[in-house]
Amino acid sequence: MITSTNNDRIKNIVQLNNSSKARHIQNAFAAEGIKMFMEAPLLCINEVYLSEELHDKINIAVRYDDDNDEAQLLKKCASKLKETGYEEVSAQVFKKMSDTVTPQGILTVVRRERHRLEEFLEGKDRSDLHVLILENLQDPGNMGTMIRTAEAAGYDLIIANEGTVDMYNPKVIRSTMGSIYRMPVIYSHALAADIERLKDAGVQVYAAHLKAKRDYREISYGRRTAVMIGNEGNGLSDEIASKADEYIKIPMKGQVESLNASVAAALLMFAVS
């Protein structure tokens, strides 16, 4: 059991929580909670840390025949822990590692999966392709919700520019509710050029924009489409907005001028799919 907060492995977890640079260098991120552990692909799990308290709860659940939902979940957790192995830590140490106010007592270090745009463009000339394009999105909660919604709407890919919040930020990870493991996200070094590559591959690009003339519900969308969403306060830059094939708008009543970015993205993704 690790009982010191000065342990090098514990210091590294804190780094992974706090530094996007550390996550990039190590090609890994920390994910808290039982759900995030249970949904993590086995081949991507590097390390698992278990608090002393949760360790005891799991042992009790395994030892007795309770069949309530919590006991069943803990038993499933115990089964997976046999495959991954784990390191037990004291309550004080887990509190140091945790990025949450009320930690569940389990933290998984997960290897990041990297994707290339070519994977989604090659050999897909006749198939569906749905892409969410993000520029300078800053709020971790919005980013996490969009990743989760993109999976729910059946999207294939998210492309974000480098000014967008890190998808492996702990707040983003929690907001995805597990979709982080299944929804491919590519950070683009040259977003305008990558949008042109999508267009060259037959993808019709739509931008949520204040200058739009058409209601998003009036359009008949094709099988290869992309939706662009910009910064929460400033929207899309002129350069990126100019790459759209068409601007679309979400009509609003009352005195509301705009919607939360993740709400707007959800409406458009489900429509343009």
Side-chain angles (χ1 to χ4, degrees), residues 116-129 156 197 200-203 223-224:
R116 298 180 307 115
L117 185 54
E118 289 77 12
E119 297 173 33
F120 300 88
L121 297 183
E122 293 171 359
K124 285 202 169 187
D125 292 339
R126 294 184 178 84
S127 66
D128 294 357
L129 182 62
D156 300 284
R197 293 172 67 192
D200 289 344
V203 177
R223 295 174 60 191
R224 296 171 72 77

Side-chain angles (χ1 to χ4, degrees), residues 97-117:
M97 297 164 63
S98 176
D99 186 68
T100 62
V101 177
T102 54
Q104 293 183 27
I106 185 167
L107 183 147
T108 312
V109 178
V110 185
R111 177 175 54 79
R112 293 171 48 171
E113 290 197 79
R114 296 188 182 276
H115 300 276
R116 298 180 307 115
L117 185 54

Side-chain angles (χ1 to χ4, degrees), residues 193-211:
D194 283 338
I195 293 170
E196 287 296 337
R197 293 172 67 192
L198 287 171
K199 293 170 71 172
D200 289 344
V203 177
Q204 196 82 4
V205 179
Y206 298 90
H209 203 282
L210 292 174
K211 293 182 179 179

